[in-house]
Amino acid sequence: MLGQGFVSAAAIAASVLFILSLGGLSNQEKAKRAVWYGIVGMALAVVFTALGPGIGAYWLMIPMIIAGAVIGWKVAKQVAMTEMPQLVAALHSFVGLAAVFVAWSADLERRRVLAVRATEGAVEEFSAFAALVATKAPDELTFLQLEVVFAIFIGAVTFTGSVIAFGKLAGKVDGKPKQLPGGHLLNAVAAGLCLLLAIAYLNGAGFWTLLVLAALSFFIGYHLIMGIGGADMPVVVSMLNSYSGWAAAAIGFTLSNDLLIVTGALVGSSGAILSYIMCKAMNRNFLSVILGGFGGTSGPAAEIEGEQVAIDAGGVAASLNNADSVVIVPGYGMAVAQAQNAVSELTRKLRAAGKEVRFAIHPVAGRLPGHMNVLLAEAKVPYDIVLEMDEINDDLPSTDVVIVIGSNDIVNPAAQDDPNSPIAGMPVLEVWRSRVVIVCKRGQGTGYSGIENPLFFKDNTRMFYGDARDSIDTLIPLIE
């Protein structure tokens, strides 16, 4: 067992590594090193916390750590890149549920300490945490109760919200917004009851208040995310990331664990910042996303004229062979088809033929921020030709051919042309301004969000139907 000095030093080192990890993830070239910073930091945190003063029951702790590590490793190895958003949502749910359990345990220990004090017994017979609670003054115990309430509320909301987000991302739950009769009023009533229960608990009510508080919070998380449409899921995932961080920080205060406080605050603040960035990229108000998603429209959507004109691989190849500049817009359809390696090979062949090839990445492409960047990096697409929306939008009018692979909302002109569209005002990639647009798509459906796209009916658009990987593989040999 190590002294508190060693544990504090390790906590500082782990915190620095976590900060370096977050900073490095902003750059594709440094991302792998940043991930290792996080891995080493977490290893330090776990080992030195487990060896710290007052920690025991290693006969139970060590098998649980090993079992968790093995399960995590096996699950992560089996999860494809297309399923990474679902995995992230699932991991958020674990943090939320852990916060609820820790908060319940903390209050039970608080009650045991108070009972021992009333009988003038020895607190040492209980856990290390109970001994810690015993050192607290009455006002500090009140603050502990506030921490418990906050941890239960935010943890429970995070748990059920993340479970529903997982279901929507995995296609196990309908992606359309759904609410019970009463809509947001139910959430408001549940939140009000949570506040009343918290007040009752702080004034001496029994443990039952925390159980009912958790049940109501579970409902709020479920109903809140059920009411958010699939198109808003990237923001929801980053929001839940923030929630899980604040839940971790809350239990850090409860356990007097400085490292957990710092780590939770890092995750919570970075998730909140990311949520803000995502909402800005979608021209959405954060509260409107959380409370309703791509909710309603102010009137009927504009009528779409024309028809979708199909093209075969030979026609696409002819357009590419005659082009000098090509822009590729990847979307979730590319991830589902696992077409990134085929796209990388197409890019290599086009560049070898003297074409200028670049990628246009919308901030909310895919189901998770940075999803497309990770897939392209995995396929070894050069970083310098992968550009963000703001960097490439002005170049699209001078582009000969744009290839859209499995994208819908992020290239939808209705965002600019139709004030009644659910995505009205959302910044999009203006691919229709290029000379030719090739849309690689499975069929004529509206996609994950259910929003029709006028781009598919424009005169300069051709629909290249089929599985993205098969379509690109068919196309590659025809490039001269």
Side-chain angles (χ1 to χ4, degrees):
M1 187 173 294
L2 300 175
Q4 186 59 46
F6 286 101
V7 176
S8 298
I12 294 172
S15 300
V16 171
L17 287 169
F18 291 149
I19 293 171
L20 291 174
S21 180
L22 284 174
L25 290 175
S26 63
N27 184 293
Q28 290 171 312
E29 297 181 23
K30 298 178 181 178
K32 285 186 178 181
R33 186 193 312 163
V35 170
W36 277 107
Y37 285 149
I39 292 172
V40 174
M42 185 55 67
L44 281 175
V46 171
V47 171
F48 279 84
T49 298
L51 296 177
I55 306 298
Y58 291 107
W59 60 271
L60 178 62
M61 181 192 304
I62 293 176
M64 294 298 289
I65 291 175
I66 293 174
V70 170
I71 292 171
W73 180 80
K74 282 187 171 293
V75 170
K77 289 286 287 185
Q78 294 173 359
V79 171
M81 284 304 304
T82 53
E83 299 171 329
M84 198 57 64
Q86 293 95 297
L87 177 63
V88 171
L91 294 176
H92 291 162
S93 72
F94 296 158
V95 177
L97 192 58
V100 174
F101 286 151
V102 169
W104 280 342
S105 298
D107 186 68
L108 290 174
E109 292 290 68
R110 180 188 68 85
R111 292 176 186 277
R112 294 172 74 185
V113 168
L114 293 177
V116 169
R117 280 181 175 175
T119 59
E120 298 183 354
V123 178
E124 288 76 8
E125 65 185 89
F126 297 126
S127 68
F129 177 72
L132 175 67
V133 173
T135 64
K136 295 181 179 295
D139 58 335
E140 292 177 314
L141 286 178
T142 300
F143 190 74
L144 174 63
Q145 289 180 279
L146 289 172
E147 295 163 4
V148 165
V149 168
F150 181 78
I152 290 175
F153 179 78
I154 199 69
V157 170
T158 302
F159 173 68
T160 48
S162 298
V163 170
I164 297 302
F166 168 84
K168 290 196 173 192
L169 290 167
K172 300 180 185 298
V173 176
D174 192 346
K176 295 180 180 179
K178 289 185 177 181
Q179 291 184 329
L180 297 173
H184 298 306
L185 180 61
L186 287 177
N187 295 335
V189 170
L193 291 174
C194 286
L195 179 60
L196 292 176
L197 287 166
I199 293 173
Y201 166 69
L202 292 172
N203 283 277
F207 185 75
W208 66 269
T209 55
L210 298 183
L211 295 176
V212 179
L213 174 66
L216 289 170
S217 302
F218 284 140
F219 168 78
I220 293 173
Y222 157 80
H223 198 233
L224 203 61
I225 306 305
M226 280 296 294
I228 299 176
D232 279 338
M233 275 303 113
V235 176
V236 171
V237 171
S238 59
M239 174 201 72
L240 291 170
N241 179 50
S242 178
Y243 287 1
S244 68
W246 299 125
I251 60 177
F253 279 106
T254 302
L255 300 175
S256 296
N257 187 309
D258 294 338
L259 180 57
L260 200 52
I261 295 171
V262 172
T263 305
L266 285 173
V267 174
S269 57
S270 61
I273 293 170
L274 182 59
S275 299
Y276 171 78
I277 293 172
M278 299 295 288
C279 285
K280 186 176 180 181
M282 299 164 67
N283 192 36
R284 301 284 287 163
N285 179 276
F286 182 75
L287 287 179
S288 73
V289 171
I290 301 311
L291 296 179
F294 278 77
T297 58
S298 56
E303 293 290 333
I304 299 178
E305 299 179 354
E307 61 179 354
Q308 297 184 21
V309 180
I311 192 173
D312 59 14
V316 176
S319 295
L320 292 173
N321 287 330
N322 293 326
D324 292 321
S325 58
V326 177
V327 170
I328 300 175
V329 180
Y332 188 68
M334 184 187 80
V336 171
Q338 299 185 33
Q340 60 269 26
N341 290 310
V343 170
S344 179
E345 177 60 21
L346 175 65
T347 301
R348 186 197 64 76
K349 198 160 185 181
L350 288 171
R351 297 183 79 191
K355 321 285 185 188
E356 180 189 28
V357 182
R358 292 176 294 172
F359 286 79
I361 306 297
H362 192 281
V364 296
R367 301 277 179 88
L368 194 70
H371 198 180
M372 296 300 104
N373 301 76
V374 172
L375 289 176
L376 295 176
E378 179 189 39
K380 300 190 181 342
V381 171
Y383 299 136
D384 60 333
I385 65 172
V386 180
L387 305 177
E388 299 296 327
M389 177 181 65
D390 294 338
E391 298 176 297
I392 203 168
N393 242 352
D394 290 340
D395 295 342
L396 292 176
S398 59
T399 300
D400 294 322
V401 178
V402 171
I403 305 177
V404 179
I405 306 177
S407 294
N408 188 21
D409 299 332
I410 64 172
V411 292
N412 194 332
Q416 297 181 356
D417 302 336
D418 183 5
N420 293 328
S421 171
I423 59 171
M426 172 180 167
V428 292
L429 288 160
E430 300 169 355
V431 298
W432 59 89
R433 300 172 64 192
S434 63
R435 186 170 63 83
V436 176
V437 182
I438 306 295
V439 178
C440 189
K441 199 169 181 288
R442 285 182 180 272
Q444 296 187 356
T446 56
Y448 184 67
S449 67
I451 301 172
E452 191 62 82
N453 192 340
L455 169 71
F456 304 156
F457 300 85
K458 287 189 175 291
D459 293 336
N460 64 332
T461 298
R462 295 294 179 267
M463 306 300 293
F464 189 24
Y465 293 119
D467 177 83
R469 184 170 62 180
D470 293 342
S471 297
I472 301 300
D473 283 337
T474 304
L475 185 61
I476 290 173
L478 303 178
I479 302 300
E480 300 175 352

